Amino acid sequence: MNDAAAPSPRRARVRAPELIGKGGWLNTGGKELTLSDLRGHIVILDFWIS
């Protein structure tokens, strides 16, 4: 029996486009966010059409 840990499966990298819209970001204190700013954080996005 091998005591070495089995290698974990590799997760696929997801390439997502930047979120750009005519209304800008809401509730961010005027800061424009990028995906790199959000990396490692839990983010909830709410999209709606007015």
Side-chain angles (χ1 to χ4, degrees):
M1 186 168 185
N2 189 353
D3 290 335
S8 61
R10 295 186 67 160
R11 293 192 296 172
R13 293 197 65 142
V14 176
R15 303 270 184 216
E18 290 292 334
L19 299 172
I20 301 171
K22 67 178 183 177
W25 289 88
L26 300 175
N27 298 324
T28 61
K31 181 178 179 186
E32 291 291 325
L33 299 173
T34 64
L35 292 180
S36 63
D37 295 331
L38 303 174
R39 184 176 303 273
H41 298 277
I42 296 173
V43 178
I44 299 173
L45 299 175
D46 185 9
F47 297 94
W48 74 93
I49 300 172
S50 57

